[in-house]
Amino acid sequence: MPGLEFKKDPVFLPYIAGYFDARGSFIVDKQNNITMNFYGNVDFLEELNSLFKVGSITLTPSSAWKIMNRDIPKVLDNINQYIIIKKDQAMEIIEALKNKDQYISINEPPEDIDFFDYAEEEWLYFYIVGYFDGLSRWSLKKHPKSNEYYLQISLISRYSDLVILLYELFNVGYILPYNDKFKFMAVSQDSLDLIKKLEPFLLNKKPELEMALKFKRFLDSGKYKEIEKLTGELKSSKKQDSNTTMILNLCEKLFKKVTSKSKSFEISKSRFCQEAIHYSYANLDSFKITEDLCGEEKKNFQVAINIDEYLEEKIKVLSSFDEYKSSAIRRALTLYLKDLEIEKEDNELDEDIDPLDLLEELKKGGPY
Protein backbone atom coordinates (compact mmCIF):
# COMPACT_ATOMS: atom_id res chain seq x y z
CA MET A 1 0.00 0.00 0.00
CA PRO A 2 1.52 3.38 -1.01
CA GLY A 3 2.19 5.98 1.68
CA LEU A 4 0.21 9.11 2.41
CA GLU A 5 0.81 12.27 0.42
CA PHE A 6 -0.40 15.81 0.99
CA LYS A 7 -3.18 15.61 -1.60
CA LYS A 8 -6.91 16.32 -1.48
CA ASP A 9 -7.77 12.71 -2.23
CA PRO A 10 -9.98 9.99 -0.64
CA VAL A 11 -6.96 8.65 1.27
CA PHE A 12 -5.46 11.81 2.75
CA LEU A 13 -8.71 13.64 3.58
CA PRO A 14 -10.06 10.92 5.95
CA TYR A 15 -6.63 10.93 7.60
CA ILE A 16 -6.89 14.69 8.18
CA ALA A 17 -10.44 14.29 9.54
CA GLY A 18 -9.19 11.70 12.05
CA TYR A 19 -6.28 13.96 12.93
CA PHE A 20 -8.63 16.91 13.52
CA ASP A 21 -10.87 14.79 15.75
CA ALA A 22 -7.77 13.95 17.79
CA ARG A 23 -5.83 17.24 17.77
CA GLY A 24 -8.13 19.91 16.41
CA SER A 25 -10.62 22.37 17.87
CA PHE A 26 -13.16 25.04 17.05
CA ILE A 27 -12.86 28.15 19.22
CA VAL A 28 -15.38 31.03 19.32
CA ASP A 29 -14.27 34.26 21.03
CA LYS A 30 -16.40 36.94 22.69
CA GLN A 31 -16.69 38.84 19.39
CA ASN A 32 -18.18 35.72 17.74
CA ASN A 33 -15.06 35.10 15.65
CA ILE A 34 -14.51 31.42 14.83
CA THR A 35 -11.11 29.74 14.62
CA MET A 36 -10.46 26.22 13.38
CA ASN A 37 -7.22 24.94 14.93
CA PHE A 38 -4.88 22.08 14.13
CA TYR A 39 -2.03 21.40 16.60
CA GLY A 40 1.11 19.39 15.98
CA ASN A 41 4.58 19.28 14.50
CA VAL A 42 5.46 22.58 12.76
CA ASP A 43 6.72 20.98 9.52
CA PHE A 44 3.51 18.95 9.28
CA LEU A 45 1.33 22.02 9.89
CA GLU A 46 3.21 24.05 7.27
CA GLU A 47 2.54 21.32 4.69
CA LEU A 48 -1.19 21.51 5.51
CA ASN A 49 -1.09 25.29 5.20
CA SER A 50 0.55 24.98 1.78
CA LEU A 51 -1.98 22.40 0.60
CA PHE A 52 -5.12 24.36 1.50
CA LYS A 53 -3.58 27.83 1.03
CA VAL A 54 -5.52 29.41 3.92
CA GLY A 55 -4.82 30.33 7.51
CA SER A 56 -1.52 30.92 9.27
CA ILE A 57 0.99 29.09 11.47
CA THR A 58 1.54 30.26 15.05
CA LEU A 59 4.33 29.02 17.30
CA THR A 60 3.20 30.37 20.68
CA PRO A 61 1.78 29.39 23.08
CA SER A 62 1.87 26.18 21.00
CA SER A 63 2.46 25.33 17.34
CA ALA A 64 -0.86 25.53 15.51
CA TRP A 65 -2.38 26.03 12.07
CA LYS A 66 -5.24 28.51 12.54
CA ILE A 67 -8.01 29.17 10.01
CA MET A 68 -10.36 32.07 10.68
CA ASN A 69 -14.04 32.69 9.89
CA ARG A 70 -14.88 32.64 6.16
CA ASP A 71 -11.75 30.64 5.28
CA ILE A 72 -12.90 27.69 7.40
CA PRO A 73 -15.15 26.10 4.69
CA LYS A 74 -12.11 25.89 2.39
CA VAL A 75 -10.82 23.21 4.76
CA LEU A 76 -14.02 21.93 6.34
CA ASP A 77 -15.82 21.26 3.05
CA ASN A 78 -13.02 18.84 2.15
CA ILE A 79 -13.03 16.80 5.35
CA ASN A 80 -16.51 17.18 6.85
CA GLN A 81 -17.86 13.95 5.31
CA TYR A 82 -15.13 12.02 7.18
CA ILE A 83 -15.30 13.77 10.59
CA ILE A 84 -16.86 11.57 13.28
CA ILE A 85 -16.24 12.92 16.80
CA LYS A 86 -16.62 16.62 16.03
CA LYS A 87 -19.29 16.13 13.32
CA ASP A 88 -22.01 18.05 15.22
CA GLN A 89 -19.58 20.89 15.95
CA ALA A 90 -18.64 21.06 12.27
CA MET A 91 -22.30 21.29 11.25
CA GLU A 92 -22.88 24.05 13.82
CA ILE A 93 -19.93 26.00 12.42
CA ILE A 94 -21.11 25.58 8.82
CA GLU A 95 -24.59 26.84 9.78
CA ALA A 96 -23.16 29.75 11.77
CA LEU A 97 -20.97 30.86 8.87
CA LYS A 98 -24.05 30.94 6.62
CA ASN A 99 -25.91 33.10 9.15
CA LYS A 100 -23.34 35.77 9.88
CA ASP A 101 -25.15 37.45 12.80
CA GLN A 102 -26.10 34.21 14.56
CA TYR A 103 -24.68 33.79 18.07
CA ILE A 104 -22.48 30.68 18.16
CA SER A 105 -22.40 28.26 21.06
CA ILE A 106 -20.40 25.10 20.36
CA ASN A 107 -21.58 21.95 22.13
CA GLU A 108 -19.15 19.32 23.36
CA PRO A 109 -18.79 16.11 21.27
CA PRO A 110 -21.09 13.24 22.34
CA GLU A 111 -19.76 10.96 25.07
CA ASP A 112 -20.71 7.77 23.20
CA ILE A 113 -20.15 7.16 19.50
CA ASP A 114 -20.63 3.80 17.80
CA PHE A 115 -17.54 3.71 15.59
CA PHE A 116 -18.52 0.24 14.40
CA ASP A 117 -21.24 1.95 12.36
CA TYR A 118 -18.39 3.10 10.10
CA ALA A 119 -16.64 -0.28 9.97
CA GLU A 120 -17.58 -0.92 6.33
CA GLU A 121 -16.29 2.46 5.13
CA GLU A 122 -13.07 2.05 3.15
CA TRP A 123 -11.76 5.35 4.51
CA LEU A 124 -12.04 4.37 8.22
CA TYR A 125 -8.54 2.87 8.28
CA PHE A 126 -7.01 6.20 7.27
CA TYR A 127 -9.23 8.09 9.72
CA ILE A 128 -7.89 5.90 12.56
CA VAL A 129 -4.30 6.35 11.34
CA GLY A 130 -4.84 10.13 11.43
CA TYR A 131 -6.30 9.92 14.93
CA PHE A 132 -3.32 7.82 16.01
CA ASP A 133 -0.84 10.19 14.34
CA GLY A 134 -2.36 13.07 16.28
CA LEU A 135 -2.86 11.59 19.73
CA SER A 136 -0.27 8.82 20.24
CA ARG A 137 2.65 9.31 22.60
CA TRP A 138 6.07 7.74 22.07
CA SER A 139 8.91 7.17 24.51
CA LEU A 140 12.03 5.08 25.06
CA LYS A 141 12.10 3.42 28.46
CA LYS A 142 14.50 1.32 30.50
CA HIS A 143 13.21 -1.69 32.43
CA PRO A 144 14.18 -1.23 36.10
CA LYS A 145 15.01 -4.93 36.65
CA SER A 146 16.57 -6.09 33.39
CA ASN A 147 18.02 -2.68 32.40
CA GLU A 148 16.84 -3.38 28.84
CA TYR A 149 15.58 -0.50 26.72
CA TYR A 150 12.25 -0.70 24.94
CA LEU A 151 9.97 1.49 22.84
CA GLN A 152 6.55 2.33 24.27
CA ILE A 153 3.70 3.78 22.18
CA SER A 154 0.39 4.63 23.79
CA LEU A 155 -2.87 6.39 23.05
CA ILE A 156 -5.57 7.45 25.52
CA SER A 157 -9.16 8.06 24.39
CA ARG A 158 -12.59 8.31 26.00
CA TYR A 159 -14.07 6.28 23.11
CA SER A 160 -13.76 2.55 23.81
CA ASP A 161 -14.99 1.51 20.34
CA LEU A 162 -12.31 3.60 18.68
CA VAL A 163 -9.58 2.07 20.85
CA ILE A 164 -10.91 -1.44 20.09
CA LEU A 165 -10.89 -0.74 16.34
CA LEU A 166 -7.35 0.61 16.58
CA TYR A 167 -6.28 -2.55 18.42
CA GLU A 168 -7.99 -4.84 15.88
CA LEU A 169 -6.66 -3.00 12.82
CA PHE A 170 -3.06 -2.94 14.02
CA ASN A 171 -3.28 -6.38 15.71
CA VAL A 172 -0.62 -5.52 18.31
CA GLY A 173 -0.53 -4.26 21.88
CA TYR A 174 -3.26 -4.37 24.49
CA ILE A 175 -6.00 -2.22 26.03
CA LEU A 176 -6.61 -1.27 29.64
CA PRO A 177 -8.94 1.09 31.48
CA TYR A 178 -7.35 4.43 32.37
CA ASN A 179 -9.34 6.53 34.89
CA ASP A 180 -12.55 7.27 32.96
CA LYS A 181 -10.89 6.59 29.57
CA PHE A 182 -9.24 3.71 27.71
CA LYS A 183 -5.56 3.26 26.91
CA PHE A 184 -4.00 1.46 23.96
CA MET A 185 -0.44 0.37 24.68
CA ALA A 186 2.25 -1.26 22.55
CA VAL A 187 5.66 -2.05 24.06
CA SER A 188 8.85 -3.89 23.07
CA GLN A 189 8.31 -6.12 20.00
CA ASP A 190 4.68 -5.01 19.63
CA SER A 191 5.76 -1.39 19.28
CA LEU A 192 8.40 -2.32 16.68
CA ASP A 193 5.80 -4.33 14.73
CA LEU A 194 3.47 -1.34 14.92
CA ILE A 195 5.92 1.15 13.44
CA LYS A 196 6.65 -1.29 10.59
CA LYS A 197 2.94 -1.24 9.69
CA LEU A 198 2.53 2.51 10.07
CA GLU A 199 5.82 3.83 8.70
CA PRO A 200 4.37 4.94 5.32
CA PHE A 201 1.43 6.77 6.93
CA LEU A 202 2.83 8.85 9.79
CA LEU A 203 3.22 12.52 8.94
CA ASN A 204 2.93 14.44 12.21
CA LYS A 205 4.91 11.85 14.19
CA LYS A 206 7.80 11.73 11.72
CA PRO A 207 10.38 12.89 14.30
CA GLU A 208 9.20 10.17 16.72
CA LEU A 209 9.19 7.60 13.90
CA GLU A 210 12.78 8.49 12.94
CA MET A 211 13.80 8.12 16.60
CA ALA A 212 12.06 4.73 16.79
CA LEU A 213 13.69 3.43 13.59
CA LYS A 214 17.09 4.57 14.81
CA PHE A 215 16.44 2.77 18.11
CA LYS A 216 15.56 -0.44 16.22
CA ARG A 217 18.79 -0.24 14.19
CA PHE A 218 20.86 0.23 17.35
CA LEU A 219 18.99 -2.60 19.08
CA ASP A 220 19.49 -5.01 16.16
CA SER A 221 23.22 -4.25 16.05
CA GLY A 222 23.71 -4.31 19.84
CA LYS A 223 24.81 -0.66 20.07
CA TYR A 224 23.53 -0.12 23.61
CA LYS A 225 25.65 2.97 24.29
CA GLU A 226 24.05 4.61 21.27
CA ILE A 227 20.60 3.70 22.61
CA GLU A 228 21.45 5.35 25.94
CA LYS A 229 22.58 8.46 24.09
CA LEU A 230 19.41 8.43 21.98
CA THR A 231 17.27 8.21 25.14
CA GLY A 232 19.07 11.27 26.52
CA GLU A 233 18.49 13.18 23.28
CA LEU A 234 14.80 12.32 23.42
CA LYS A 235 14.46 13.57 27.00
CA SER A 236 16.25 16.78 26.06
CA SER A 237 13.98 17.21 23.05
CA LYS A 238 10.88 16.75 25.20
CA LYS A 239 12.10 19.42 27.61
CA GLN A 240 12.54 21.83 24.70
CA ASP A 241 9.09 20.98 23.35
CA SER A 242 7.25 21.72 26.61
CA ASN A 243 5.86 25.19 26.05
CA THR A 244 5.34 26.85 29.41
CA THR A 245 5.27 26.23 33.13
CA MET A 246 2.47 27.75 35.19
CA ILE A 247 2.70 28.23 38.96
CA LEU A 248 -0.65 27.42 40.54
CA ASN A 249 -1.44 28.76 44.03
CA LEU A 250 -3.48 26.42 46.25
CA CYS A 251 -4.86 26.59 49.76
CA GLU A 252 -3.59 24.02 52.26
CA LYS A 253 -6.73 21.86 52.04
CA LEU A 254 -6.59 21.47 48.24
CA PHE A 255 -2.81 21.08 48.23
CA LYS A 256 -3.01 18.19 50.71
CA LYS A 257 -5.71 16.46 48.65
CA VAL A 258 -3.66 16.79 45.45
CA THR A 259 -0.53 15.56 47.24
CA SER A 260 -2.38 12.53 48.62
CA LYS A 261 -3.94 11.55 45.28
CA SER A 262 -0.76 12.08 43.26
CA LYS A 263 1.07 9.79 45.71
CA SER A 264 -1.59 7.08 45.46
CA PHE A 265 -1.47 7.24 41.64
CA GLU A 266 2.34 7.48 41.68
CA ILE A 267 2.34 10.48 39.37
CA SER A 268 3.61 14.04 39.76
CA LYS A 269 1.38 16.87 41.00
CA SER A 270 1.82 18.48 37.58
CA ARG A 271 0.54 15.35 35.84
CA PHE A 272 -2.38 15.14 38.28
CA CYS A 273 -3.33 18.76 37.49
CA GLN A 274 -3.14 18.00 33.77
CA GLU A 275 -5.49 15.04 34.24
CA ALA A 276 -7.91 17.30 36.14
CA ILE A 277 -7.93 19.80 33.27
CA HIS A 278 -8.59 17.07 30.69
CA TYR A 279 -11.35 15.62 32.86
CA SER A 280 -13.06 18.98 33.48
CA TYR A 281 -12.91 19.89 29.79
CA ALA A 282 -14.69 16.60 29.01
CA ASN A 283 -17.33 17.31 31.69
CA LEU A 284 -18.06 20.99 31.13
CA ASP A 285 -21.62 20.88 32.48
CA SER A 286 -20.41 19.57 35.83
CA PHE A 287 -17.47 21.98 35.79
CA LYS A 288 -19.80 24.98 35.44
CA ILE A 289 -21.55 24.27 38.75
CA THR A 290 -18.45 23.24 40.75
CA GLU A 291 -17.11 25.66 43.35
CA ASP A 292 -13.41 26.17 43.98
CA LEU A 293 -12.56 24.13 47.07
CA CYS A 294 -10.22 26.88 48.25
CA GLY A 295 -12.87 29.59 48.06
CA GLU A 296 -11.62 32.66 49.91
CA GLU A 297 -8.98 30.72 51.86
CA LYS A 298 -5.37 31.84 51.76
CA LYS A 299 -3.50 30.23 48.86
CA ASN A 300 0.05 29.89 50.11
CA PHE A 301 1.01 26.52 48.55
CA GLN A 302 2.31 26.23 44.99
CA VAL A 303 2.34 23.58 42.26
CA ALA A 304 4.26 23.99 38.98
CA ILE A 305 2.16 22.71 36.04
CA ASN A 306 3.64 21.89 32.64
CA ILE A 307 1.36 23.48 30.05
CA ASP A 308 1.74 22.02 26.57
CA GLU A 309 -0.30 22.27 23.41
CA TYR A 310 -2.71 19.57 24.61
CA LEU A 311 -3.80 21.83 27.46
CA GLU A 312 -3.59 25.41 26.20
CA GLU A 313 -6.95 25.50 24.44
CA LYS A 314 -8.68 23.43 27.13
CA ILE A 315 -7.58 25.88 29.82
CA LYS A 316 -8.78 28.71 27.60
CA VAL A 317 -12.27 27.14 27.45
CA LEU A 318 -12.35 26.42 31.20
CA SER A 319 -11.17 29.93 32.09
CA SER A 320 -14.08 31.40 30.13
CA PHE A 321 -16.19 30.43 33.18
CA ASP A 322 -13.75 32.05 35.62
CA GLU A 323 -11.97 35.36 35.73
CA TYR A 324 -8.51 33.79 35.90
CA LYS A 325 -6.80 30.65 34.59
CA SER A 326 -5.61 29.73 38.08
CA SER A 327 -9.12 29.75 39.58
CA ALA A 328 -10.38 27.66 36.64
CA ILE A 329 -7.68 25.05 37.28
CA ARG A 330 -8.40 25.00 41.03
CA ARG A 331 -12.03 24.41 40.15
CA ALA A 332 -10.99 21.64 37.75
CA LEU A 333 -9.02 20.00 40.55
CA THR A 334 -12.03 20.21 42.84
CA LEU A 335 -14.28 18.50 40.26
CA TYR A 336 -11.71 15.80 39.53
CA LEU A 337 -11.10 15.06 43.21
CA LYS A 338 -14.84 14.78 43.88
CA ASP A 339 -15.18 12.30 41.05
CA LEU A 340 -12.24 10.22 42.27
CA GLU A 341 -13.77 10.01 45.74
CA ILE A 342 -16.88 8.27 44.42
CA GLU A 343 -15.26 6.13 41.72
CA LYS A 344 -13.23 2.95 42.09
CA GLU A 345 -9.59 4.01 41.97
CA ASP A 346 -8.02 0.65 41.12
CA ASN A 347 -7.21 0.81 37.41
CA GLU A 348 -4.83 -2.14 37.36
CA LEU A 349 -5.50 -4.68 34.64
CA ASP A 350 -5.73 -8.30 35.77
CA GLU A 351 -3.37 -10.24 33.49
CA ASP A 352 -5.82 -13.15 33.36
CA ILE A 353 -8.58 -10.99 31.89
CA ASP A 354 -8.84 -10.51 28.14
CA PRO A 355 -8.74 -6.70 27.52
CA LEU A 356 -11.59 -6.84 25.00
CA ASP A 357 -13.76 -8.89 27.40
CA LEU A 358 -12.97 -6.36 30.11
CA LEU A 359 -14.07 -3.48 27.91
CA GLU A 360 -17.36 -5.22 27.15
CA GLU A 361 -17.97 -5.71 30.88
CA LEU A 362 -17.12 -2.08 31.56
CA LYS A 363 -19.59 -0.93 28.92
CA LYS A 364 -22.30 -3.08 30.53
CA GLY A 365 -21.43 -1.89 34.02
CA GLY A 366 -20.03 -5.31 34.89
CA PRO A 367 -18.12 -6.54 37.90
CA TYR A 368 -14.66 -5.22 37.05
Side-chain angles (χ1 to χ4, degrees):
M1 190 182 291
L4 283 175
E5 296 181 34
F6 287 88
K7 292 180 178 179
K8 296 178 185 178
D9 61 25
V11 172
F12 184 71
L13 293 177
Y15 161 91
I16 287 299
Y19 187 94
F20 179 74
D21 273 348
R23 294 287 301 283
S25 69
F26 293 111
I27 300 293
V28 180
D29 66 18
K30 292 177 181 177
Q31 286 74 44
N32 227 29
N33 291 310
I34 311 169
T35 310
M36 185 178 188
N37 304 288
F38 288 76
Y39 309 99
N41 176 282
V42 176
D43 292 339
F44 167 70
L45 297 175
E46 286 179 345
E47 290 280 4
L48 288 179
N49 190 22
S50 298
L51 176 65
F52 289 96
K53 296 181 171 55
V54 291
S56 59
I57 304 295
T58 61
L59 301 178
T60 57
S62 57
S63 52
W65 175 39
K66 295 181 176 290
I67 307 101
M68 294 285 294
N69 296 322
R70 294 289 171 180
D71 282 337
I72 291 174
K74 295 175 185 175
V75 177
L76 200 50
D77 288 351
N78 282 277
I79 66 173
N80 190 38
Q81 62 180 307
Y82 306 113
I83 291 175
I84 298 176
I85 296 172
K86 297 185 173 81
K87 173 67 77 178
D88 291 345
Q89 290 186 345
M91 299 308 294
E92 289 172 27
I93 293 299
I94 290 169
E95 190 61 32
L97 289 169
K98 289 178 183 175
N99 302 287
K100 193 174 180 181
D101 297 327
Q102 175 184 326
Y103 174 74
I104 310 159
S105 176
I106 302 176
N107 295 315
E108 284 302 297
E111 290 188 8
D112 290 317
I113 298 174
D114 192 346
F115 285 87
F116 289 100
D117 284 348
Y118 301 88
E120 294 184 2
E121 300 287 354
E122 291 182 3
W123 50 263
L124 183 64
Y125 179 86
F126 296 103
Y127 170 95
I128 291 176
V129 170
Y131 190 88
F132 178 87
D133 203 9
L135 215 53
S136 59
R137 299 205 172 189
W138 303 45
S139 57
L140 287 178
K141 294 184 175 289
K142 190 176 186 180
H143 198 282
K145 292 182 179 178
S146 66
N147 285 328
E148 293 180 353
Y149 287 98
Y150 62 93
L151 173 67
Q152 176 178 295
I153 303 174
S154 62
L155 181 145
I156 298 169
S157 176
R158 67 194 287 189
Y159 298 105
S160 59
D161 289 355
L162 181 53
V163 179
I164 291 170
L165 278 168
L166 187 152
Y167 168 83
E168 290 183 345
L169 283 173
F170 297 159
N171 197 28
V172 294
Y174 57 94
I175 305 168
L176 67 160
Y178 184 83
N179 295 338
D180 61 334
K181 301 181 181 69
F182 300 91
K183 186 173 188 175
F184 166 82
M185 182 87 79
V187 297
S188 301
Q189 189 57 48
D190 273 356
S191 62
L192 298 177
D193 290 343
L194 180 59
I195 63 171
K196 186 187 289 187
K197 294 178 180 182
L198 289 177
E199 185 178 349
F201 309 117
L202 297 178
L203 301 174
N204 176 61
K205 293 293 182 184
K206 260 190 177 173
E208 288 85 348
L209 176 63
E210 289 171 4
M211 173 272 297
L213 291 172
K214 194 181 289 187
F215 165 72
K216 187 178 183 304
R217 287 198 300 272
F218 291 155
L219 190 66
D220 290 344
S221 55
K223 295 181 179 179
Y224 300 112
K225 286 187 178 179
E226 294 295 333
I227 292 176
E228 192 170 344
K229 193 159 107 181
L230 182 64
T231 306
E233 289 173 4
L234 182 64
K235 287 179 180 175
S236 172
S237 170
K238 283 188 175 180
K239 284 180 183 175
Q240 292 172 10
D241 287 344
S242 62
N243 301 112
T244 56
T245 300
M246 176 181 177
I247 303 298
L248 181 66
N249 293 310
L250 307 178
C251 62
E252 184 177 7
K253 180 166 50 177
L254 186 53
F255 181 81
K256 283 183 174 179
K257 280 181 174 283
V258 170
T259 301
S260 171
K261 289 298 179 186
S262 58
K263 279 183 180 177
S264 67
F265 287 141
E266 297 183 342
I267 59 175
S268 67
K269 294 186 187 73
S270 173
R271 171 71 180 278
F272 186 82
C273 293
Q274 292 173 43
E275 290 290 337
I277 293 164
H278 285 297
Y279 179 81
S280 299
Y281 180 82
N283 296 275
L284 273 184
D285 288 340
S286 299
F287 174 81
K288 291 174 190 175
I289 59 174
T290 299
E291 296 296 327
D292 180 353
L293 187 62
C294 286
E296 299 302 319
E297 292 183 30
K298 189 175 181 181
K299 304 170 187 69
N300 50 2
F301 290 80
Q302 293 185 333
V303 175
I305 310 175
N306 297 316
I307 307 296
D308 61 18
E309 58 193 37
Y310 290 91
L311 295 183
E312 287 286 354
E313 293 298 336
K314 292 185 178 182
I315 293 174
K316 184 177 180 181
V317 171
L318 295 178
S319 60
S320 67
F321 302 106
D322 272 285
E323 188 177 356
Y324 302 105
K325 285 183 179 180
S326 55
S327 60
I329 298 173
R330 286 195 299 269
R331 201 160 142 194
L333 283 167
T334 303
L335 174 64
Y336 191 45
L337 285 163
K338 281 183 180 177
D339 183 74
L340 290 175
E341 285 169 5
I342 61 173
E343 279 197 358
K344 183 181 176 185
E345 294 180 9
D346 182 12
N347 291 304
E348 292 298 319
L349 182 66
D350 188 328
E351 291 182 1
D352 295 329
I353 298 172
D354 186 293
L356 295 180
D357 290 342
L358 174 59
L359 283 172
E360 288 305 313
E361 290 299 326
L362 285 169
K363 287 161 74 176
K364 295 175 192 171
Y368 301 109

